[in-house]
Amino acid sequence: MMTSNRSMNITRTTTIVRGLAIALAMFFGNQLVAQYSPLSQSEAMAEMQRFSSGKRVLYLAAHPDDENTRLIAWLSNALDAETTYLSLTKGSGGQNLLGDELGENLGVIREHELRAARSIDGGNQRFTDALDFGYSKSVDEVWTKWNHEDLVRQVVHVIRELQPDFILTRFPPDSRAGHGHHTASAELAIECAKLAGDSTYMSSMPRWKVGGVWWNTSIWWDKTLKDDPEAVHLDLSGFDPLHGDSYGAIGDAARSMHKCQGFGVPINRGPREEYFKKLWGEADLESYLELEERETDQNSRLAQDASFALEIGDQDQAIAKWAVLGRNILEHNSGLSNRYQRWQRVMLHLTGLYAEYYTSSNPLPSDAEFKAMVEIQAMSSGANVYLASLRTSGKQMALNPPQLVGPDGIQLEAELNVVKANSTEVVDHARVRLEIGEEIIMLFMKPIAKLSDRAIGEYREEVAIDPLLHSKFDQSVYWNNGKKSLLGYSVYARKDGIYNWTVSASLPSEQTLIWEHSVSENLKEGWNHFEETVPAKLPLGRFEVSLSTTALDEAGLVVTKRMPEKHTISYPHVGTHYRYRDARSTLSVLDLSSKRIKVGYIEGAGDQMDETLESIGYDVIKITEETPELWELVDAVLVGIRAFNTEPWLMKSQERIASYVKGGGNFVVTYTTAGRSGMELPLPVPLTIGRDRVTEEYAPVSFVSHPLTMEPNKISNADFEQWVQERGLYFPVVNESYTTIFSIEESTGIIYPNSTVVADFGKGSVIYTGLSLFRELPAGVPGALRVLQNILHYDH
Ligand SMILES: [Zn+2]
């Protein structure tokens, strides 16, 4: 059972985080959850200028943090262009400096870091559904994992919807981009710009001719750019009076939102040069970037008129012109689009109105009615605003005659609609029709949770729906050596009662069931802990363990549903988000030698090798700079990932390592990062680490007959099945003093013999392995554990 103490701690931390989130939100005036967030006069003016310029730019790259925030700040605030950053992925394959969220939960943080960055630099944020599966060497590999046709469709859709004059890419469409995702993003920009203008492609949507696609390059790639006559130069320096700071400062503040990547930067207000090279198209970017006004259309003239009226204090005229602009925008855009929502915030500013659609608690219990409130209030005494009608999916109401919105406001209760199939996604929005004089104004509002706390005051969260049961496995991997074992998990019930569910293990992709057990239990409200017996002699392999419940759907049919795990993701700069995803763990059934030795572990950048070894019965002793005496007690010293990068004392331990190995110790080093010129390790047999890596997790591996592949486990090809993300990284430079063990063949035909190397010295040995054990062990890959055991037990 989880103790109540623990949940108290969680609650307290969350409250502090919420408090900070509110403070930050006020400081930056940002829209943490894209909801009611009043504009100051200068913010409203900045928005009106963006509509007035009639300029639109799309910046396109692969990940959160790829974008050039200084340039986006300049485009949004100096050029006054409506600027959108389209990130193909949400960056879930990256690292996390803030906490232990990885994968989809990291994607939530990075998505909201991007939204927070845009609320500072003035841009809009969009995504496609491309998955960030981690580093990829080549664009060919990317196209085996991303659905090209589907991504093209999504990007063309965004281009036609936003109608940009130019598309700017962060990367070139070739191998200079480095990461395969980066190359793919530039390739997509060119291909989709062409297709967006082709009326035969996706003919249901009107075509849009993009003026050109340009690479926002940098002297990092090309030192000769300064003198390149084909490159367009742009000086980003300048003061933005509406912000009271330089464009560089706005951009740096936005960049510092990428906190989980460690991108916080000091603010540089000085000049900075940007460079652009043409990838495709005819239009002239250089004259476009000059600040002179361009030929304007009807909408930009309406925005200019409204802006001028506001400046001279003619509120009625400003509202009238802005209202016409809003109607025009609605003809081609949804009410929930960035464009209309920006227009709407300005309209609320001009009319002095507060309007919001909200719930008063969060998450909402799934088995109760979802009550929400539409509230409209006039804060300015001058505005004669009438409420004419309201529509939500739970309520439709017309007021005849329309009702004057006064300083006390109007509150209308509605029922929130959620997607019934998974009961967690809120699909509702409120549509409100207001009348001001002759003008009709439509407001579109997504529901938000409006909450308050005595220590914080008012704050907001994305609405989430809390199911009756959620669960959590005790461990992310259960290693099983073919004998009976226990598998622990907890179920949280929101109400006392008898509940039924099934525990099952199946192959992750093919859904082949290898074992299941039905459970019926009387649960108390709160956490309930269970231990399930895993039977002996299950087939070897890596299996997904999950819990499922059955229920009747609306048609009376039995449906099986995975029991979710509740994830609370909460940081000051991104707010609090609840996610419910299928609770899962890994059952790894393997034939592992029963031999055990004493292992000394030197921790580096964080891997779970020590925990994995302890969980299968190894005696693991942590060794630090302060505990040199422990070396004498262990049969093998395992150096965690990047410890040679993060522990300066280890680089100075040449003598200690040499005497340990000479005396019979086995010194094992896992991946260590090296710069372009390599990195020499202080080992008794000299070894230089290079940058070879194999990102294809399915790349064939072959090996020679060597004790490392024979004892105590006989390694076979099956040990290299079910690997995840990659084979390995930072392989050493081959030298004659070391024997190479596993040869990996990439799809390019290149064979890497050097993932793992071993040298004998004195009575002991030195082993370096770049195999990505730090990734495979937490994923429960059986072969990875068998290989690690052989490496640790190596004894010539
Ligand atoms: Zn990137």
Side-chain angles (χ1 to χ4, degrees), residues 465-506:
I465 311 295
D466 207 29
L468 212 44
L469 297 180
H470 60 85
S471 55
K472 190 172 174 19
F473 287 96
D474 295 357
Q475 290 168 225
S476 55
V477 181
Y478 296 90
W479 301 98
N480 174 295
N481 62 355
K483 302 199 177 74
K484 264 192 193 176
S485 63
L486 291 177
L487 186 154
Y489 64 93
S490 299
V491 176
Y492 186 96
R494 224 164 2 78
K495 284 179 178 169
D496 291 358
I498 294 170
Y499 296 89
N500 305 304
W501 65 89
T502 305
V503 189
S504 60
S506 59

Side-chain angles (χ1 to χ4, degrees), residues 74-362:
W74 186 90
L75 292 167
S76 308
N77 299 290
L79 191 66
D80 293 325
E82 179 194 271
T83 310
T84 302
Y85 174 41
L86 175 60
S87 174
L88 297 178
T89 74
K90 290 186 174 172
S92 58
Q95 311 284 319
N96 181 2
L97 251 71
L98 295 180
D100 52 15
E101 294 88 353
L102 288 173
E104 285 175 289
N105 288 345
L106 175 61
V108 173
I109 297 176
R110 298 190 72 184
E111 171 188 346
H112 289 279
E113 286 188 341
L114 271 187
R115 296 192 187 284
R118 292 301 79 75
S119 68
I120 294 172
D121 61 33
N124 297 307
Q125 185 58 51
R126 295 289 288 264
F127 298 92
T128 74
D129 64 10
L131 183 70
D132 178 7
F133 54 80
Y135 186 78
S136 179
K137 262 202 227 177
S138 74
V139 73
D140 294 338
E141 187 193 348
V142 174
W143 291 126
T144 64
K145 295 187 177 174
W146 284 356
N147 182 331
H148 182 259
E149 193 183 319
D150 188 48
L151 263 184
V152 166
R153 196 181 44 75
Q154 293 181 51
V155 174
V156 171
H157 194 282
V158 170
I159 294 172
R160 286 182 176 170
E161 182 194 329
L162 299 178
Q163 305 187 327
D165 305 310
F166 285 90
I167 298 178
L168 305 177
T169 70
R170 174 78 279 192
F171 303 103
D174 53 51
S175 61
R176 283 174 297 172
H179 195 327
H181 293 169
H182 293 163
T183 313
S185 70
E187 283 185 2
L188 273 174
I190 300 167
E191 182 180 1
C192 297
K194 291 177 186 167
L195 282 174
D198 176 353
S199 55
T200 62
Y201 181 78
M202 282 192 345
S203 54
S204 58
M205 213 176 172
R207 67 177 183 154
W208 176 255
K209 284 199 160 180
V210 177
V213 180
W214 290 66
W215 171 26
N216 172 209
T217 179
S218 130
I219 45 176
W220 188 84
W221 273 291
D222 182 358
K223 301 270 183 288
T224 65
L225 269 174
K226 278 186 185 207
D227 309 310
D228 185 345
E230 285 185 1
V232 168
H233 296 222
L234 173 68
D235 174 13
L236 292 190
S237 60
F239 175 70
D240 184 56
L242 294 179
H243 275 81
D245 215 332
S246 74
Y247 301 113
I250 301 167
D252 285 344
R255 184 153 190 81
S256 294
M257 286 294 112
H258 295 305
K259 295 180 194 302
C260 73
Q261 303 297 296
F263 276 19
V265 288
I267 284 175
N268 177 355
R269 295 188 167 80
R272 195 170 85 173
E273 199 88 358
E274 290 293 334
Y275 302 91
F276 303 88
K277 289 197 88 166
K278 185 159 88 178
L279 299 178
W280 175 81
E282 296 307 318
D284 173 12
L285 182 70
E286 191 157 26
S287 62
Y288 182 82
L289 294 176
E290 284 164 9
L291 299 181
E292 287 139 30
E293 292 203 358
R294 65 189 309 215
E295 215 176 297
T296 51
D297 58 12
Q298 194 213 354
N299 281 356
S300 40
R301 282 194 301 275
L302 283 166
Q304 287 162 11
D305 291 349
S307 187
F308 178 72
L310 181 65
E311 262 173 66
I312 60 168
D314 186 348
Q315 207 84 3
D316 291 346
Q317 181 70 359
I319 292 170
K321 295 286 182 185
W322 202 251
V324 181
L325 173 64
R327 280 204 300 279
N328 289 353
I329 293 171
L330 264 192
E331 278 176 25
H332 303 284
N333 299 270
S334 107
L336 295 171
S337 63
N338 290 127
R339 195 170 283 158
Y340 194 79
Q341 290 290 308
R342 282 175 173 251
W343 171 90
Q344 182 169 299
R345 289 176 75 202
V346 174
M347 183 50 101
L348 293 176
H349 171 87
L350 294 175
T351 49
L353 279 181
Y354 159 78
E356 198 164 23
Y357 183 29
Y358 61 86
T359 68
S360 300
S361 64
N362 198 47

